[in-house]
Amino acid sequence: AASLGIRIDANQATVDDWLRLPGLSIHQARSLVDISRVGVKFYCIEDVAAALGVSAQRLKPFELILIFSYYEDETEDK
């Protein structure tokens, strides 16, 4: 997938984006989206693994596909 240029921003991914990762269930994809919506940020593959309750080693093959970008919260005062 990475060689095809597929990149997924872990902090803005939709259910459909998450489902591009082989082995991820619809339940897991929805869970990740729900977690993001309540304000949890993913900073690394280990954060995604912890959210799913799986080992980080299981998700290591997806490191080249996942992007962990930082976005300032819209609700923060400037």
Side-chain angles (χ1 to χ4, degrees):
S3 64
L4 296 174
I6 295 173
R7 304 287 290 182
I8 297 171
D9 185 330
N11 291 303
Q12 292 190 332
T14 65
V15 171
D16 288 336
D17 291 333
W18 286 115
L19 289 175
R20 289 179 167 185
L21 303 180
L24 224 63
S25 72
I26 185 101
H27 173 74
Q28 290 172 314
R30 286 179 180 157
S31 179
L32 290 171
V33 170
D34 290 343
I35 290 168
S36 287
R37 283 188 182 144
V38 297
V40 174
K41 302 290 187 236
F42 299 117
Y43 296 104
C44 60
I45 199 80
E46 289 81 5
D47 291 346
V48 176
L52 292 175
V54 301
S55 73
Q57 194 62 31
R58 179 175 169 223
L59 300 181
K60 284 288 183 187
F62 304 133
E63 274 189 316
L64 296 175
I65 299 168
L66 293 173
I67 302 167
F68 298 94
S69 298
Y70 173 79
Y71 301 95
E72 201 171 306
D73 289 335
E74 294 174 7
T75 57
E76 287 182 11
D77 292 331
K78 302 210 183 236

